[in-house]
Amino acid sequence: MLQIPETRKKRVVILGAGFGGLTVAKKLDQKKHQIVIIDRNNYHQFQPLFYQVAMAGLEPSSISFPLRKAFQNKKDVVIRVAEVISVDPIQKKVETSEGECTYDVLILALGATTNFYGNEQFAKHTYGLKSISEALQLRNDLFKDLESAILERDYEKRQGYVDITIVGGGATGVEVAGALAELKNYIFPKDYTELDYREVDIYLIQSGDKLLQGMSEKSSIAAEEFLTKMGVHVIKNTKVVEVVGDEVTLGTGQKIKSRKVVWAAGITCVKIAGLPEQLYTSGNRIKVNDQLQIIDNKDVYVVGDQALLQSEIFPKGHPQVAQVAIQMANQLSKNLNQSTSKPFVYKDRGSMATIGRNKALVDLPRFHFHGFFAWLVWLVVHLFALIGAKNKVFVFINWVWNYFTFDQSLRIILKADTKNQ
Ligand SMILES: Cc1cc2nc3c(=O)[nH]c(=O)nc-3n(C[C@H](O)[C@H](O)[C@H](O)COP(=O)(O)OP(=O)(O)OC[C@H]3O[C@@H](n4cnc5c(N)ncnc54)[C@H](O)[C@@H]3O)c2cc1C
């Protein structure tokens, strides 16, 4: 059993403590509700900066926040670390790896995971970037492979160790490519003097004809120009069709020697057993009405990446970004607190992506800019969005340090302790 304390208050069970779930939990009125948060991790993770952990720019702890610390001394907030397995909307129950619990109101906020489009080979041989563990795995292997490259005399085999392929030219792919190019240009020549850093090739593969499909034309063009100048090989209009060992094959037949393939080519949601099949739409998103309720069930809500709310402006649903999750969570908590049923309307505040130092792109609803000022805006927005004063300070210090020294000091290969295995 999950051992949830008995209560006379309305029990709101929130599945997932990402941007959506955590925001609802913080905004719900604790005088009226008992709030139960269930997540597989005991911390909230700030996904937009995963790539900086993977590229040794930030410590994992500076972009994560312990859930219990976020709700210290809050008697009516119950946290359970467990894997959600199924939902029974008739009996109003949730089953988890640690037992089950009942609810009065259920909020699904389980986000999305990497979409390998059903290809087991891609899932096995490439790196996703949807958790801190995956970011750390990539960081470890990146630096392990550089050590192996130093020992490898054969040029072709060495290419496999040093070259990196990124699949997907959306914001994540572009940001990873930029960060890697900075490592190659600023760090590798100093740290790996026995290697010719010019041998390191970074490939960014995009199936469509432009990078950053969701952003403006100007942003797409600027991103490609920045990356090309930094030495990234941008290959468009082709897909990766095979990844085997240290070889990547493109749809054009081109082969790339590269042991590390970062998969940033899309996301999908995970179906939760027990919910009616007809609720699921493309990418396993759950169809909701404008009050974020699932069809035919007034007690089950969905927010964030998992929710699909169709409207005239967003016929395919809203973009799966943090702002949507936060705004949905704000509206839902207001409705639950005040027993109102105001519809959710998304206020688009624009989008941005960064490529590297002094290089970012910002699209506001009617205005685009890129370069140094865009980069400053990107830094400030991400700093303020981070949870926890300590995290903001640590990340700020790290960025200032990296900016002036052209260096970051987290290039550590972490090994799991095997003595008790
Ligand atoms: C690498 C990367 C970069 C991004 N960059 C940006 C950006 O720059 N700007 C932007 O706006 N958005 C960005 N996004 C998207 C943004 O992070 C998501 O839109 C946002 O996190 C969605 O919030 P959510 O609450 O729906 O889900 P999430 O934040 O994903 O939270 C889901 C939570 O559910 C938990 N969970 C999932 N399944 C289970 C289960 N079965 N059992 C228990 N717990 C479970 C997870 O541990 C997690 O805590 C990025 C995403 C990634 C991966």
Side-chain angles (χ1 to χ4, degrees), residues 15-22 38-41 43-51 82-85 109-112 129-131 171-172 175 267 270 272 303-306 319-325 352-353 378 382:
L15 307 183
F19 283 104
L22 190 66
I38 303 177
D39 198 294
R40 58 162 70 110
N41 298 311
Y43 52 85
H44 164 84
Q45 31 190 7
F46 191 78
Q47 300 183 20
L49 294 179
F50 279 169
Y51 83 96
E83 187 74 23
V84 174
I85 294 171
L110 293 169
L129 211 48
K130 277 300 282 178
S131 68
T172 302
E175 290 180 345
I267 55 169
V270 174
I272 294 294
V303 296
D305 284 1
Q306 233 187 339
Q320 287 166 295
V321 295
Q323 258 310 311
V324 171
M352 56 181 82
W378 183 93
H382 283 76

Side-chain angles (χ1 to χ4, degrees), residues 110-351:
L110 293 169
T113 186
T114 309
N115 193 354
F116 294 104
Y117 304 96
N119 187 316
E120 302 266 315
Q121 197 197 43
F122 293 160
K124 195 167 165 208
H125 296 294
T126 69
Y127 296 79
L129 211 48
K130 277 300 282 178
S131 68
I132 285 179
S133 320
E134 286 180 326
L136 273 178
Q137 181 72 49
L138 178 57
R139 179 178 105 180
N140 266 354
D141 289 354
L142 176 67
F143 293 104
K144 257 200 283 190
D145 278 1
L146 287 165
E147 296 301 330
S148 302
I150 289 173
L151 308 179
E152 183 57 65
R153 296 291 108 196
D154 181 82
Y155 173 78
E156 278 297 309
K157 285 190 184 154
R158 205 163 56 239
Q159 287 302 106
Y161 284 122
V162 296
D163 287 1
I164 299 170
T165 306
I166 302 143
V167 190
T172 302
V174 159
E175 290 180 345
V176 171
L180 270 169
E182 292 203 323
L183 270 179
K184 172 188 166 179
N185 296 331
Y186 301 128
I187 306 293
F188 294 173
K190 294 187 285 189
D191 276 21
Y192 303 94
T193 47
E194 294 154 276
L195 267 182
D196 182 353
Y197 77 98
R198 288 165 303 186
E199 281 186 6
V200 178
D201 288 307
I202 301 158
Y203 297 91
L204 177 62
I205 316 297
Q206 164 69 334
S207 58
D209 61 356
K210 61 177 212 161
L211 300 180
L212 298 173
Q213 298 269 12
M215 292 185 73
S216 68
E217 192 66 27
K218 285 180 180 166
S219 284
S220 306
I221 294 167
E224 191 170 341
E225 277 175 10
F226 280 143
L227 287 170
T228 309
K229 273 192 198 145
M230 290 161 88
V232 174
H233 306 289
V234 178
I235 304 177
K236 295 183 294 185
N237 297 311
T238 186
K239 286 185 176 175
V240 168
V241 291
E242 197 175 58
V243 182
V244 181
D246 65 353
E247 195 165 82
V248 179
T249 308
L250 306 186
T252 53
Q254 184 182 346
K255 292 194 187 292
I256 298 170
K257 277 268 169 223
S258 161
R259 277 162 53 89
K260 287 174 297 305
V261 180
V262 181
W263 194 262
I267 55 169
T268 184
C269 298
V270 174
K271 283 188 182 175
I272 294 294
L275 288 178
E277 189 60 33
Q278 66 267 26
L279 289 180
Y280 290 102
T281 59
S282 79
N284 295 335
R285 290 170 88 179
I286 298 173
K287 204 170 181 175
V288 290
N289 64 21
D290 61 8
Q291 283 151 54
L292 308 173
Q293 281 161 325
I294 65 170
I295 290 124
D296 295 335
N297 195 319
K298 288 196 160 77
D299 302 316
V300 181
Y301 297 83
V302 191
V303 296
D305 284 1
Q306 233 187 339
L308 186 115
L309 168 59
Q310 287 168 308
S311 66
E312 228 169 81
I313 306 173
F314 298 100
K316 290 183 181 166
H318 295 80
Q320 287 166 295
V321 295
Q323 258 310 311
V324 171
I326 292 168
Q327 289 185 31
M328 282 181 167
N330 281 332
Q331 184 59 56
L332 176 57
S333 42
K334 261 188 215 160
N335 280 345
L336 292 174
N337 286 340
Q338 296 163 9
S339 303
T340 52
S341 38
K342 286 201 181 132
F344 170 71
V345 181
Y346 177 51
K347 290 180 198 70
D348 185 2
R349 302 206 165 111
S351 47

